[in-house]
Amino acid sequence: MERIPDKLPAHIAVIMDGNGRWATARNLPRTAGHRAGADAVRIIVGECAKIGIGYLTLYAFSSENWARPRAEISALFGLLVEFLGKETPRLVEQNIKLNVIGDIAALPAPSRLALGHAMTRTASGSRMVLNLALNYGGRDEILRAARALVRDGLKPDQITGQSLAERLYTAGQPDPDLLIRTSGEKRLSNFLLWQCAYSELYFTRVLWPDFDAQRLHKALQAYAARKRRFGGTEEAIIPEA
């Protein structure tokens, strides 16, 4: 059994990358990679809830992902509906609240209905908040918050970091302490740009479908070894795994 570090992040954000490459390496269709990635989601959500993580945000579908082939997009949202159908009872059982960040108005109707049903069913969850980022883009989120400040009639000297943060999708939640990205890429890819200003960054070459509880604990051990400075000296990216 993995030893749980004394210092755990309150909020973990994950860029789940590598489903397609995982499938290609096995001569499988990309949809097989996304299905394997959904299995990894189930494992990581359960493990985070078990060890006491309060907030988990998963980058499921970016606003740029609409450029993918139409058949792949259709398969992704079909898998989302299937996943929610199977996992919502488990989320209720684990006392996990599902939340969505992003512009879901553009999602297919079946996806919106499934998400609405899952969020209603899990609304009283108090063990952990699971944020799914769907049709999400960090720059768009900041623009949306800035427009809200204007609509709300704030004067320039009333606009603060706090007032803007209160208009982000993650309002009321702590910023991520730890951002994990799988597959070896080393970019934020327009994910939680405001919120991750001081997040510890952990990059691993492991493809998302292979990112399991053991590898999560490896990231947590690396996080626990860091001394956070929040803009002071000795800031660094956590060594790559």
Side-chain angles (χ1 to χ4, degrees):
M1 182 177 179
E2 296 286 344
R3 188 184 73 82
I4 301 173
D6 294 330
K7 183 178 72 172
L8 284 174
H11 187 170
I12 298 175
V14 185
I15 300 175
M16 307 179 293
D17 198 6
N19 291 348
R21 274 167 280 178
W22 183 93
T24 298
R26 290 160 175 79
N27 294 315
L28 296 171
R30 287 177 64 87
T31 52
H34 295 311
R35 188 168 294 277
D39 291 337
V41 168
R42 183 182 303 108
I43 292 168
I44 297 305
V45 168
E47 188 67 14
C48 284
K50 184 175 78 173
I51 65 177
I53 303 300
Y55 298 84
L56 174 64
T57 301
L58 303 178
Y59 204 5
F61 190 86
S62 77
S63 52
E64 289 83 10
N65 285 156
W66 294 109
R68 293 185 178 187
R70 185 173 301 179
E72 183 178 353
I73 292 172
S74 178
L76 277 168
F77 285 114
L79 182 58
L80 174 64
V81 172
E82 178 184 329
F83 177 85
L84 291 170
K86 291 180 178 178
E87 295 303 314
T88 296
R90 188 173 284 122
L91 295 177
V92 172
E93 181 182 340
Q94 295 179 94
N95 199 21
I96 297 172
K97 178 180 180 179
L98 178 68
N99 184 51
V100 179
I101 65 173
D103 181 9
I104 64 172
L107 301 186
S111 298
R112 297 197 308 271
L113 288 171
L115 288 165
H117 174 72
M119 286 189 285
T120 299
R121 286 279 310 278
T122 64
S124 61
S126 58
R127 186 181 188 183
M128 186 177 81
V129 173
L130 170 62
N131 296 313
L132 286 185
L134 291 162
N135 194 23
Y136 173 87
R139 288 180 174 180
D140 288 341
E141 180 185 24
I142 294 170
L143 285 171
R144 175 182 173 276
R147 290 170 184 141
L149 291 169
V150 173
R151 284 197 305 270
D152 294 342
L154 271 70
K155 297 177 181 178
D157 59 358
Q158 295 175 311
I159 297 175
T160 62
Q162 179 65 28
S163 63
L164 190 144
E166 289 170 352
R167 289 160 175 81
L168 297 175
Y169 291 121
T170 53
Q173 301 183 18
D175 289 339
D177 303 292
L178 172 64
L179 171 70
I180 298 170
R181 179 164 189 161
T182 59
S183 87
E185 301 295 341
K186 299 177 181 178
R187 300 183 301 275
L188 289 180
S189 293
N190 202 20
F191 184 47
L192 300 177
L193 299 179
W194 179 277
Q195 297 92 329
C196 285
Y198 291 103
S199 301
E200 301 297 327
L201 307 179
Y202 180 86
F203 301 117
T204 174
R205 296 184 181 90
V206 175
L207 302 176
W208 175 248
D210 293 326
F211 192 83
D212 55 14
Q214 182 179 0
R215 289 177 167 113
L216 171 66
H217 281 273
K218 186 175 180 180
L220 293 174
Q221 293 290 348
Y223 170 82
R226 285 281 292 118
K227 186 172 183 179
R228 305 185 72 193
R229 294 286 183 165
F230 298 97
T233 59
E234 299 181 15
E235 284 195 300
I237 293 173
I238 298 174
E240 181 176 316

